[in-house]
Structure formats: C-alpha cells, structure tokens
Amino acid sequence: MARLLYVEGSPRKSRSVSIFAAQAFLDAYRAANPSDVIDRLDIWQDLPQLDENAFEAKSAGLAGVERTPAQQAAWDRLDQLAQRFRAADKILIGVPMWNFAIPYRLKQLIDLVSHKDLLFTFDERGLNGLLTNAKALVIYARGISYGEDSGMPLEVWDQQKPYMDLWLRFVGVPDVQSMIVEKTLFEEDRDAIRKQAAALAQDF
C-alpha cells in the first residue's frame, strides 16, 4: 500500500482544468491501486502563516537554542504540514499558471514547508532533500500556448514549470514527471485531457 499526496492548486474548482486533469488521473489511479491512500491538500483552505514566531522558531533551530512555547507551537504547525509530504510515496500537484508563474497560495505552501529538518537538511555535503523515496507528477494548466512559434519562448515566459522542477529537486524528489495542458482560455478537449491523465496514472 502506497500513500499519494494530492496538492490542489486552483481555487476555481469545477471550472479548473488543472483540477479536472488531476481528478481524471486520480479516478484512474484509484482503479489501478484500490488499496492506496490518497491525501488531498487544498491550499485554498486555511494554511499557517509565516509570522514572527515561525521565523524565530526557525532561527532557534538553526542556532541550537530552546524555542519558546509560542515558537514551538508555530514550528509544530509547519512540521505537521511538511509531514504530509514526508509521509507520501507519491506526490500529485495541480498547477495553474498565474502571471507566467504559480499561484501565490502554492508559493505560500512551499515557503511553509521548505525549512531545514522539515523537507531538507544541510551538512558538509551541502543541501540534502528528504523526499528521496518519493516520485511526483505535476499537472500544468496554461491559458495560452508558449514556445518559439508563439513568439513567447519558454526560457523567458515560463516561470511555472522551471520553478516547480527546481523545488522538487531541492527537496530530494528523484523522479519528476509532467503533464502540460495549454490554450485553456480558448479550447478544452476534456476527453483528450482525461485520456492523457488516465494513461499517466497506470504506471505511476
């Protein structure tokens, strides 16, 4: 039995293409892996804040000094969130493109869990991600098409996929797969999206 963490990145729910694709993936995944556990994390529900206590808790940990009760409580909230990533064998993330990058709430989630001893450590070898036993699939939804043919080359305009790839490598995920759905503002072949997502689920 494996554990899959699904991070839902869009607030649009029934109108979201990234959620539609992720749900198609999950339907096929459940059929192929009925005993696996799926943990859904909706980033548009309540998330902790990176407030003064959280930052002081981080600094105390780096300095090796005892945290105050308020700092420890703030750190525990971050650790509980990061634990959902550490417990996952597989990670599915749905990411709509906002202003050429990722939604601010997804960036908030990443900022909340990306701390020493939560999702990475560092020593004389450098930075060491802790999610080395996980694999990930990121579903990207984009309103228009990017690339040389569009006059919007990916290396300039795409701050979505490169950032997610970098972060997942940083936290140690060795196997990162991608599914890209473009032109969602103008055309949505939902049958094709469903088939592509379901095919990816078979071997995930």
Side-chain angles (χ1 to χ4, degrees), residues 7 41 43 47-48 50 58 78 81-82 85 93 95 102-116 118-120 138 140 159-168 170-171:
V7 179
L41 172 55
I43 62 173
L47 288 175
L50 276 175
K58 174 181 178 178
L78 303 187
L81 197 55
F85 285 88
I93 308 177
V95 186
I102 66 175
Y104 70 93
R105 289 298 291 264
L106 180 54
K107 182 60 166 61
Q108 180 182 353
L109 173 65
I110 289 171
D111 288 341
L112 288 168
V113 297
S114 301
H115 300 285
K116 181 179 178 294
L118 295 187
L119 293 189
F120 71 93
V138 186
Y140 299 98
Q159 306 299 312
Q160 179 196 38
K161 184 176 183 296
Y163 181 81
M164 294 304 300
D165 285 346
L166 174 63
W167 178 70
L168 287 164
F170 167 61
V171 295

Side-chain angles (χ1 to χ4, degrees), residues 32-154:
N33 305 276
S35 63
D36 284 7
V37 175
I38 296 175
D39 175 18
R40 176 175 169 268
L41 172 55
D42 181 353
I43 62 173
W44 299 95
Q45 301 299 316
D46 290 339
L47 288 175
Q49 297 298 312
L50 276 175
D51 57 13
E52 181 181 4
N53 283 322
F55 273 106
E56 291 304 315
K58 174 181 178 178
S59 297
L62 292 172
V65 300
E66 185 175 358
R67 298 181 174 113
T68 68
Q71 291 168 2
Q72 189 60 53
W75 189 255
D76 288 345
R77 288 191 289 272
L78 303 187
D79 187 44
Q80 290 168 9
L81 197 55
Q83 174 57 26
R84 296 172 74 170
F85 285 88
R86 297 195 301 265
D89 303 290
K90 305 172 184 181
I91 301 168
L92 172 67
I93 308 177
V95 186
M97 178 179 275
W98 285 19
N99 294 314
F100 317 111
I102 66 175
Y104 70 93
R105 289 298 291 264
L106 180 54
K107 182 60 166 61
Q108 180 182 353
L109 173 65
I110 289 171
D111 288 341
L112 288 168
V113 297
S114 301
H115 300 285
K116 181 179 178 294
D117 300 325
L118 295 187
L119 293 189
F120 71 93
T121 61
F122 59 79
D123 53 27
E124 65 279 358
R125 297 172 297 160
L127 294 167
N128 308 292
L130 296 179
L131 303 185
T132 55
N133 293 321
K135 63 189 300 186
L137 170 66
V138 186
I139 297 175
Y140 299 98
R142 302 169 177 178
I144 62 176
S145 180
Y146 293 85
E148 294 298 336
D149 292 342
S150 69
M152 305 174 77
L154 288 172

